[in-house]
Amino acid sequence: MMHNDNLFTALRAAFPADLDGVAVETDDGLRYSWRDLDRASAMIANLLQGLGIVPDASLAPPRVAVQVEKSVEALILYLATLRAGFVFLPLNTAYQSAEIEYFLGDAAPAVVVCTSKNFPWVSKLALAAGTRHVFTLNGDRSGSLLERAVRCGERQTPAQRGPRDLAAIVYTSGTTGRSKGAMLTHGNLLSNAQVLKDYWGWQPGDALIHALPIFHVHGLFVAIHGALLNGSKMLWHGKFDPRRVIADLPRATVFMGVPTLYVRMLADPALNKGQAAHMRLFISGSAPLLIETFNDWKARTGHAILERYGMSETVMLTSNPYRADARYQNQSERRGGTVGFPLPGVSLRVRGEDGADVPTGEIGGIQVKGPNVFRGYWQMPGKTREEFTADGFFKAGDVGKQDARGYVTIVGRSKDLIISGGYNVYPAEIEGYLNDMPGVLESAIVGVPHPDFGEVGVAVVIARPGMQPQAEQLLAELRDRLAHFKIPKRCFVELELPRNTMGKVQKNLLREQYKGLFA
Ligand code: MCA
Ligand code: AMP
């Protein structure tokens, strides 16, 4: 048989021989066997391939944009999209119409899958974007997608794909202007998953607690590929609930979370060493894990959380060690406050403003290269060129340093980005909406420390002369338009913004001024 680089082929090859074993067990009592995943993804892939979609001017395979509640069927739809050779485009369930309109307009998906509840407005936006196929899929397995798929065949041969062929587009908001769709290939995703399988010591008998959303890299790729490539069972939590995760620990070996999940579990008295005794590995990422959380977790459970670092554009880049590794002077220590070593195959360097490498231990911009690094931004060749150096390194937009032993520490960001509970919030996007509101002359949004979300946005607004915009009113108007996690948690109407001699707003001063707001 001809070799196929389709990511699904590799995931399918890792399924256990006994297809009747449990692959996914949900927190509402459903069990899905490996055969279920295989058969249902074949049926949906056949449905997609039978739609008669012809390639469009982009020459990329058809995109399947998906905004649905977390469910195993949504995971199956992802697998089906890979099988069909189409491109998966996951969308945060919190996005509202203006956000969805942009993504559909930009990506021109051939297929859109949404909930029945959102169908009236999503289908309108989809039609306007030229989409001819809109299906529904709900958390309770109802909806037109599955109704149509049950009539499709149960056998399907994965579409032939090369490592550089597109598998997914993940939108990351821009620091200025428009959101960019990061184009990830079958090769990006598979190579990273294979590296992590080895680096994190995935082993027979592992079981993963999956409690993250599946519309971002962390829950969709890192967690799901990890479990599937190891033929491991997932304990599937529809929504993160600290009590329920703690209750499941004795049946699991691996957990992945953003720092907020660890903070919330620590707040539950049910978390203790006995409860975590069966666990092999706790992994954190997507946002900085405070050293206090790392230490508290160790004291309470006996486990050192393994922190790693990645991006939508690159999947995973660095990781603390799982065990001693000769490649890194046999360092086996998971050092809190660091994100560990560049993963095997990843080249990472720290460069100063002048473009030269900084001396070991000094701070600069992080640049990376490797088989995991994306192919570019969807239909933005200019933006793509800007973000790469002449010798092919991607500028991560994070500021960090690497010590003599190789440990990487992220100390800040050169991109103006707030990470709140693991979700990215770009100030420029929200400032744009605020500045368009009557009564607002200008605005600035900064991230300040928050005990639960790590960091949250605070808005500072300057009124137009003679006008008196009300902070609560402004936030309410934002809430009508944008995903709610993006809404600043507080808003202040001030007389002026601090500026430097160049006239640029000094956000560092605002951050300093408001840093104690949620202490
Ligand atoms: C919910 N809210 C938030 C957030 N989440 N506000 C700020 N930041 C947040 N993260 C708001 C909602 O808008 C809502 O506001 C109110 O809180 C309650 O919403 P609910 O959904 O009930 O909140 P929750 O269930 O408590 O959610 C918190 C959460 C969730 C479980 C921490 O945010 C979450 O699952 N975060 C993980 C995100 C993630 O997977 N990131 C990975 C990105 P209102 O009442 O006004 O409506 S991938 C990535 O970053 C890279 C590649 C990497 O390295 O992994
Ligand atoms: P995203 O655009 O959602 O892919 O978010 C990627 C960004 O999340 C990175 O550029 C970092 O700023 C941040 N990030 C991910 N993991 C970590 C981590 N362990 N520590 C600090 N920041 C992180």
Side-chain angles (χ1 to χ4, degrees):
M1 218 165 44
M2 198 173 144
H3 176 75
N4 189 353
D5 288 300
N6 188 316
L7 168 63
F8 179 80
T9 307
L11 298 176
R12 175 65 185 82
F15 282 17
D18 176 14
L19 289 179
D20 292 317
V22 178
V24 189
E25 199 178 314
T26 69
D27 54 353
D28 48 6
L30 297 175
R31 284 159 175 249
Y32 295 76
S33 67
W34 295 96
R35 194 184 306 285
D36 291 333
L37 297 190
D38 189 34
R39 202 161 51 184
S41 62
M43 293 162 95
I44 298 176
N46 282 327
L47 170 66
L48 294 175
Q49 287 181 312
L51 294 173
I53 298 163
V54 286
D56 61 10
S58 75
L59 296 179
R63 279 77 63 204
V64 181
V66 179
Q67 190 196 32
V68 298
E69 297 303 328
K70 182 175 179 180
S71 69
V72 179
E73 287 68 27
L75 154 65
I76 293 170
L77 170 59
Y78 166 59
L79 297 177
T81 304
L82 294 174
R83 280 184 93 139
F86 289 17
V87 178
F88 195 69
L89 196 169
L91 293 165
N92 193 319
T93 47
Y95 291 151
Q96 304 203 49
S97 58
E99 291 151 319
I100 296 296
E101 181 177 20
Y102 172 75
F103 296 124
L104 300 188
D106 191 56
V111 180
V112 169
V113 184
C114 64
T115 60
S116 297
K117 184 167 109 328
N118 291 348
F119 181 81
W121 62 269
V122 174
S123 58
K124 232 182 255 161
L125 296 176
L127 286 177
T131 305
R132 293 199 25 230
H133 308 278
V134 183
F135 296 102
T136 55
L137 174 63
N138 303 310
D140 62 358
R141 284 162 285 145
S142 63
S144 60
L145 182 79
L146 300 181
E147 282 164 18
R148 288 281 301 275
V150 289
R151 287 183 253 141
C152 297
E154 296 180 3
R155 288 180 179 280
Q156 191 265 2
T157 305
Q160 191 69 36
R161 285 292 175 263
R164 282 187 52 77
D165 286 329
L166 270 196
I169 297 179
V170 180
Y171 274 88
T172 71
S173 309
T175 36
T176 51
R178 308 193 295 138
S179 271
K180 299 165 287 184
M183 298 190 287
L184 292 160
T185 65
H186 287 266
N188 293 148
L189 297 176
L190 179 58
S191 65
N192 205 240
Q194 283 166 334
V195 165
L196 294 177
K197 175 173 168 10
D198 175 53
Y199 204 77
W200 291 343
W202 281 92
Q203 58 196 45
D206 270 338
L208 171 81
I209 296 179
H210 194 302
L212 287 163
I214 55 168
F215 40 69
H216 286 309
V217 161
H218 199 162
L220 181 63
F221 300 146
V222 188
I224 288 174
H225 295 166
L228 293 184
L229 203 56
N230 195 52
S232 280
K233 176 158 93 176
M234 285 189 263
L235 304 176
W236 189 262
H237 292 226
K239 200 172 170 349
F240 171 72
D241 173 349
R243 181 51 58 97
R244 287 184 139 197
V245 171
I246 294 167
D248 253 353
L249 293 178
R251 304 197 302 135
T253 61
V254 183
F255 176 76
M256 297 185 193
V258 301
T260 299
L261 306 200
Y262 288 98
V263 169
R264 291 190 183 181
M265 285 197 275
L266 278 167
D268 192 318
L271 182 74
N272 58 43
K273 284 203 171 81
Q275 200 65 16
H278 186 253
M279 288 294 289
R280 182 173 72 74
L281 186 57
F282 289 96
I283 300 171
S284 175
S286 308
L289 181 74
L290 292 182
I291 188 72
E292 292 82 5
T293 311
F294 177 87
N295 289 336
D296 290 352
W297 191 267
K298 198 162 186 188
R300 277 279 283 289
T301 68
H303 288 273
I305 296 174
L306 179 154
E307 185 172 4
R308 59 41 170 202
Y309 156 65
M311 301 181 66
S312 299
E313 288 92 334
T314 63
V315 214
M316 296 302 100
L317 289 165
T318 75
S319 172
N320 268 280
Y322 172 64
R323 58 185 162 216
D325 191 318
R327 283 168 292 193
Y328 309 104
Q329 303 157 39
N330 276 319
Q331 296 276 357
S332 60
E333 189 197 354
R334 292 177 209 158
R335 302 195 58 202
T338 83
V339 293
F341 307 108
L343 286 164
V346 174
S347 305
L348 181 146
R349 67 190 186 195
V350 185
R351 293 244 149 147
E353 300 257 340
D354 57 359
D357 282 335
V358 300
T360 302
E362 286 189 19
I363 289 168
I366 292 183
Q367 300 185 353
V368 292
K369 194 174 185 172
N372 52 315
V373 176
F374 74 136
R375 227 179 71 180
Y377 293 112
W378 171 254
Q379 293 187 334
M380 289 188 180
K383 264 271 162 239
T384 304
R385 265 193 305 276
E386 268 173 42
E387 303 299 333
F388 281 87
T389 63
D391 59 347
F393 276 74
F394 173 61
K395 302 176 204 162
D398 291 303
V399 176
K401 58 186 182 182
Q402 188 170 25
D403 72 13
R405 288 173 300 173
Y407 285 95
V408 176
T409 303
I410 308 293
V411 300
R413 300 174 200 123
S414 49
K415 50 194 172 194
D416 190 12
L417 160 70
I418 299 166
I419 304 185
S420 180
Y423 286 143
N424 290 4
V425 179
Y426 282 86
E429 181 188 13
I430 299 139
E431 288 160 0
Y433 278 93
L434 278 174
N435 296 348
D436 283 346
M437 290 182 189
V440 175
L441 182 65
E442 57 173 348
S443 63
I445 291 174
V446 292
V448 302
H450 188 273
D452 182 34
F453 291 127
E455 195 178 23
V456 294
V458 170
V460 180
V461 167
I462 310 303
R464 281 189 181 284
M467 302 193 76
Q468 291 177 318
Q470 299 300 305
E472 279 313 311
Q473 183 59 32
L474 296 175
L475 293 181
E477 283 180 38
L478 284 178
R479 206 166 278 133
D480 282 344
R481 295 180 206 180
L482 291 168
H484 287 187
F485 67 85
K486 295 181 186 171
I487 310 303
K489 299 291 181 205
R490 296 287 296 276
C491 176
F492 298 93
V493 181
E494 303 274 7
L495 291 174
E496 60 180 4
L497 294 173
R499 291 184 186 277
N500 65 15
T501 48
M502 310 285 286
K504 196 168 155 18
V505 177
Q506 290 173 297
K507 288 201 166 181
N508 54 329
L509 297 183
L510 291 176
R511 257 178 237 121
E512 190 57 31
Q513 183 179 348
Y514 292 105
K515 72 175 183 204
L517 211 51
F518 302 97

